[in-house]
């Protein structure tokens, strides 16, 4: 972190009270009038925990299924008590990642102060009921990280972490793809949607995927795919057949946190049953990053995109005769499509490439079924079937997704991918069964409709998949060699490139290694090989071309 930022923070110190930092640090949410009864959790086994009609169960595919009901405080308390050990584990995973990125204790302290200042207005932009739910949940978080912030504030801050990270670094750990089809484009004429949530915060982060089924005392019962500690929605469907998914767009660095996108989409999920109702909710909230929200509606029998940014709001709809809607990480509405950041995103990122890949897959599969939708989400190839290397961000399946999901809103069916990535079995849930017919006093079993599950990807049993997993291990070693500028042997290089031969980075990283060591004759062919592959972004291609020009001059 630069001294300029340090000075900025110190100069802002006298503004703490006038800017509301002190007030935000002492804010507590509304608790009066809610059921504050502490849940009594029964541990049936290491994979099943129950509390009255609420429970947490790990199914045979490895997904945690959470079912909770009640008022906001009780939903938070029940969720926290049932997920207790998972919640604490997720916190350790997240904050250990922060320590890995910022190892210095003094810089960590500075970061905490920045966080408090940046989030000073967060509590003013999160609906009271969600603050109450977060408070209930936070009672089961660890005291281990109280030096960062008290438990409630820390849990509140974490709901804006996606937005802050996305805005400050334009993180490519949010490179999602989503689509919808209806009418002539779906196999039965009914609405179908699919999405990949390509959010990567380390392997441990995605180990405990959770499918949460929430029956609130106000609003519409809903499900969402999430992780312990997260009450916001990134992918979900409610009992009226309305779905939400989010795709990040290009953002400028915001000056203050407002409504986190996942909280906005949670509100839509809980209170909207039509696209018009979803638009009305989105209009009344102030956000601090740019995002596309795909909303599918069983009542409207179509999907739309709500495109939000700190200063603009757009809605993108296709004529019903088109019967399909595709979305990656750039805007499409008239209001926002010509925004300079959006134009830059289209030209310089991998968003447009993945959009064209979605178009190609839709052209090859004119009738989208749940099985075909899962196949599109699992597609590892580039345009025209080109092998572009496993893990390439130009692929729809970048082999890092937290989850893939398929929705059939009119039937209230949803399929959620089991680990790893989108390759495991897509587990089906029928909300008619979950919310309308579930026996409160019956035995606790998995909520899945097993007969409708989609089989795992055969790729999981292939030699290529085994090589990819080995490649990921070797790639971390390569990063160490690159950082230290020593240690890479000829045998390592040969094996590294053999494991993922079509991926440009297995040539680009060794090229940088040789270049840093001033071994230009060895760097040159590696850069040239990298240039012959499908490079993720235009800036990276230009960087390689620049290195080659420098090498040419140095070797003359």
């Amino acid at each position: 972190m630069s001294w300029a930022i340090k000075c900025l923070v110190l100069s802002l110190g006298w503004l703490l009270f006038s800017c509301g930092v002190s007030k935000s640090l002492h804010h507590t949410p509304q608790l009066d009038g809610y059921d504050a009864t502490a849940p009594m959790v029964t541990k049936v086994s290491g994979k099943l925990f129950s509390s009255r009609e609420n429970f947490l169960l790990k199914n045979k595919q490895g997904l945690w299924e959470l079912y909770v009901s009640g008022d906001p405080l009780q939903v938070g308390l029940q969720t926290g008590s049932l997920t207790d050990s998972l919640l604490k584990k997720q916190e350790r995973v997240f904050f250990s990642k922060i320590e890995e990125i910022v190892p210095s204790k003094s810089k960590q302290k500075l970061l905490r102060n920045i966080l408090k200042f940046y989030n000073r207005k967060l509590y003013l932009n999160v609906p009271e009921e969600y603050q109450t739910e977060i408070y209930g949940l936070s009672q089961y978080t660890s005291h281990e990280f109280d030096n960062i912030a008290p438990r409630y504030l820390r849990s509140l801050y974490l709901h804006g972490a996606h937005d802050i990270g996305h805005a400050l670094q334009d993180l490519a750990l949010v490179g999602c793809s989503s689509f919808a089809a209806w009418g002539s484009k779906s196999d039965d004429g009914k609405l179908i949607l699919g999405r990949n949530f390509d959010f990567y915060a380390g392997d441990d982060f995605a180990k405990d995927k959770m499918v949460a089924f929430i029956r609130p005392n106000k609003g519409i019962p809903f499900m969402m795919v999430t992780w312990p500690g997260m009450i916001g929605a990134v992918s979900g469907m409610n009992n009226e057949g309305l779905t939400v998914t989010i795709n990040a767009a290009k953002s400028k660095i915001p000056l203050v946190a407002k409504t986190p996108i996942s909280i906005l989409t949670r509100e839509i999920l809980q209170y909207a049953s039509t696209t018009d109702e979803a638009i009305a909710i989105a209009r009344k909230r102030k956000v601090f990053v740019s995002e596309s929200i795909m909303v599918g509606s069983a009542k409207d029998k179509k999907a739309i995109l709500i495109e939000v940014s700190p200063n603009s709001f757009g809605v993108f709809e296709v004529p019903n005769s088109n019967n399909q809607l595709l979305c990656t990480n750039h805007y499409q509405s008239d209001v926002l499509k010509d925004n300079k950041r959006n134009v830059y995103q289209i030209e310089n990122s991998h968003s447009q490439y993945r959009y064209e890949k979605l178009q190609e897959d839709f052209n090859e599969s004119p009738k989208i079924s749940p099985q075909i939708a899962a196949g599109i989400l699992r597609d590892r190839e580039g345009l025209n079937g080109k092998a572009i290397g496993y893990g390439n961000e130009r692929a729809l399946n970048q082999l890092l997704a937290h989850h893939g999901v398929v929705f059939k809103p009119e039937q209230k069916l949803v399929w959620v991918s089991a680990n790893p990535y989108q390759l495991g079995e897509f587990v089906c849930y029928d909300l008619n069964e979950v919310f309308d017919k579930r026996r409160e006093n019956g035995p606790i079993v998995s909520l899945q409709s097993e007969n409708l599950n989609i089989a795992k990807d055969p790729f999981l049993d292939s030699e290529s998949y085994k090589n990819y997993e080995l490649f990921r291990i070797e790639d971390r070693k390569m990063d160490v060699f690159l950082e230290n500028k020593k240690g890479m042997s000829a045998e390592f290089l040969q094996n590294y490139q053999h494991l993922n031969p079509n991926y440009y980075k297995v040539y680009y990283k060794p090229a940088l290694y040789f270049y840093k060591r001033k071994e230009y004759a060895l760097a040159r062919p590696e850069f040239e090989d990298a240039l012959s592959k499908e490079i993720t972004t235009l800036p990276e291609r230009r960087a390689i071309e620049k290195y080659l020009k420098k090498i040419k001059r140095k070797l003359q």
Side-chain angles (χ1 to χ4, degrees):
M1 191 173 292
S2 69
W3 278 106
I5 293 178
K6 289 184 180 181
C7 293
L8 173 63
V9 174
L10 292 172
S11 67
L12 289 170
W14 66 275
L15 289 173
L16 286 179
F17 285 88
S18 62
C19 288
V21 173
S22 179
K23 189 174 182 180
S24 73
L25 293 176
H26 295 94
H27 170 76
T28 55
Q30 175 65 39
L31 302 178
D32 293 340
Y34 292 125
D35 181 1
T37 305
M40 298 294 291
V41 175
T42 300
K43 181 179 179 180
V44 181
S45 71
K47 295 183 178 181
L48 176 58
F49 305 83
S50 67
S51 173
R52 296 184 299 189
E53 74 276 11
N54 307 298
F55 66 87
L56 176 71
L57 175 151
K58 189 173 189 178
N59 66 26
K60 65 180 183 180
Q61 292 89 359
L63 296 173
W64 287 98
E65 298 175 6
L66 174 73
Y67 183 96
V68 294
S69 60
D71 64 32
L73 181 56
Q74 197 56 214
V75 167
L77 291 169
Q78 290 286 349
T79 301
S81 62
L82 287 165
T83 63
D84 186 297
S85 59
L86 297 177
L87 183 57
K88 290 179 172 63
K89 175 185 173 185
Q90 202 78 0
E91 267 202 305
R92 284 194 296 271
V93 167
F94 184 84
F95 288 115
S96 65
K97 193 71 177 176
I98 298 298
E99 288 185 2
E100 180 184 320
I101 297 170
V102 187
S104 166
K105 295 297 181 183
S106 61
K107 289 182 179 179
Q108 287 175 16
K109 183 177 180 180
L110 180 63
L111 189 60
R112 289 195 295 271
N113 290 332
I114 292 174
L115 190 67
K116 291 171 185 176
F117 179 78
Y118 191 83
N119 285 311
R120 67 194 183 277
K121 293 187 178 180
L122 185 59
Y123 76 102
L124 298 174
N125 290 278
V126 174
E128 193 72 49
E129 67 176 295
Y130 299 134
Q131 292 188 48
T132 302
E133 185 176 334
I134 290 170
Y135 178 88
L137 177 76
S138 72
Q139 300 312 292
Y140 296 89
T141 58
S142 173
H143 284 289
E144 184 181 349
F145 304 103
D146 285 355
N147 63 316
I148 296 172
R151 292 189 298 175
Y152 163 65
L153 278 180
R154 196 167 71 239
S155 296
L156 184 65
Y157 291 171
L158 283 174
H159 283 79
H162 160 90
D163 307 65
I164 293 170
H166 156 47
L168 293 181
Q169 298 186 33
D170 270 331
L171 293 178
L173 45 75
V174 194
C176 310
S177 305
S178 56
F179 57 81
W182 59 93
S184 62
K185 288 290 185 179
S186 76
D187 68 330
D188 60 1
K190 298 184 184 298
L191 178 63
I192 182 170
L193 303 97
R195 74 95 97 255
N196 279 335
F197 185 58
D198 290 316
F199 179 87
Y200 182 74
D203 290 347
D204 289 337
F205 184 82
K207 284 182 178 178
D208 294 309
K209 283 192 281 196
M210 195 161 69
V211 186
F213 300 90
I214 313 294
R215 188 192 285 274
N217 67 338
K218 291 183 180 179
I220 305 165
F222 61 91
M223 66 75 58
M224 60 184 181
V225 189
T226 184
W227 51 88
M230 175 68 157
I231 75 152
V234 296
S235 305
M237 179 170 70
N238 69 25
N239 208 32
E240 295 291 326
L242 182 126
T243 69
V244 294
T245 59
I246 58 175
N247 287 43
K250 183 77 173 177
S251 281
K252 65 178 181 180
I253 298 176
L255 298 177
V256 63
K258 295 182 182 177
T259 304
I261 291 295
S262 68
I263 294 295
L264 168 58
T265 47
R266 162 69 187 271
E267 187 177 10
I268 291 171
L269 198 57
Q270 188 172 339
Y271 290 104
S273 63
T274 67
T275 54
D276 284 345
E277 290 172 357
I279 291 168
I281 291 171
R283 281 190 185 278
K284 71 180 182 181
R285 297 298 174 199
K286 295 180 179 179
V287 300
F288 61 109
V289 294
S290 301
E291 204 96 11
S292 294
I293 305 169
M294 182 174 284
V295 178
S297 168
K299 290 185 177 180
D300 297 314
K301 302 182 188 301
K302 67 175 183 179
I304 66 167
L305 290 175
I306 300 175
E307 298 182 339
V308 296
S309 79
N311 301 310
S312 301
F313 186 97
V315 176
F316 180 70
E317 298 187 56
V318 296
N320 254 342
S321 57
N322 284 14
N323 293 334
Q324 69 180 48
L325 179 64
L326 311 177
C327 180
T328 48
N329 296 105
H330 59 268
Y331 288 137
Q332 301 179 59
S333 67
D334 289 338
V335 174
L336 287 158
K337 68 180 181 181
D338 295 325
N339 175 284
K340 64 180 182 180
R341 287 186 177 83
N342 193 56
V343 172
Y344 178 91
Q345 178 84 335
I346 292 170
E347 292 177 351
N348 291 279
S349 76
H350 43 78
S351 181
Q352 181 64 26
Y353 187 97
R354 283 183 288 111
Y355 186 88
E356 292 172 8
K357 181 59 180 172
L358 279 175
Q359 288 179 314
E360 182 179 271
D361 283 359
F362 263 60
N363 290 335
E364 292 175 358
S365 302
K367 299 283 186 180
I368 306 299
S369 66
Q371 291 74 17
I372 290 173
I376 292 173
L377 297 178
R378 290 167 166 171
D379 192 343
R380 297 173 295 279
E381 296 180 334
L383 288 168
N384 302 311
K386 182 179 180 181
I388 59 175
Y390 298 127
N392 195 315
E393 291 172 320
R394 289 199 160 200
L396 296 176
N397 179 4
Q398 302 170 19
L399 291 171
L400 55 68
H402 182 271
H403 63 263
V405 62
V406 176
F407 299 107
K408 291 283 287 181
E410 292 171 69
Q411 295 97 323
K412 289 195 262 188
L413 296 174
V414 55
W415 288 260
V416 180
S417 68
N419 282 332
Y421 323 117
Q422 313 94 312
L423 302 177
E425 192 173 358
F426 269 75
V427 181
C428 183
Y429 299 95
D430 182 345
L431 296 199
N432 295 297
E433 297 289 335
V434 173
F435 291 121
D436 298 343
K437 301 178 183 178
R438 193 175 100 73
R439 292 177 57 199
E440 302 295 351
N441 297 318
I444 299 174
V445 296
S446 174
L447 297 171
Q448 66 182 285
S449 298
E450 193 168 352
N451 61 313
L452 296 176
N453 290 356
I454 298 171
K456 69 177 184 179
D457 193 325
F459 177 67
L460 269 178
D461 298 320
S462 70
E463 193 69 25
S464 294
Y465 173 72
K466 294 175 185 176
N467 284 343
Y468 173 71
E469 290 299 303
L470 290 172
F471 155 74
R472 296 184 70 227
I473 295 170
E474 299 303 285
D475 194 46
R476 288 190 281 270
K477 293 178 184 176
M478 182 69 239
D479 288 340
V480 174
F481 297 151
L482 187 55
E483 183 180 357
N484 296 332
K485 294 187 286 187
K486 64 180 181 180
M488 186 180 74
S489 67
E491 292 76 19
F492 172 88
L493 178 59
Q494 183 179 13
N495 182 58
Y496 178 59
Q497 295 177 339
H498 166 75
L499 293 172
N500 201 357
N502 296 305
Y503 192 29
Y504 77 99
K505 284 190 177 180
V506 300
Y507 308 100
Y508 186 27
K509 288 184 179 182
L512 289 174
Y513 174 86
F514 289 129
Y515 187 88
K516 286 183 175 183
R517 289 167 58 90
K518 299 182 180 181
E519 297 175 315
Y520 304 120
L522 294 174
R524 183 173 186 170
E526 300 297 340
F527 278 127
E528 289 172 343
D529 284 344
L531 207 57
S532 70
K533 306 299 179 183
E534 195 68 54
I535 298 168
T536 301
T537 65
L538 182 60
E540 279 190 294
R541 174 170 287 277
R542 287 175 173 165
I544 294 172
E545 291 171 342
K546 189 174 181 180
Y547 276 117
L548 280 170
K549 287 180 180 178
K550 288 181 179 178
I551 287 173
K552 186 177 180 181
R553 290 196 299 268
K554 291 178 182 295
L555 292 178
Q556 283 179 346

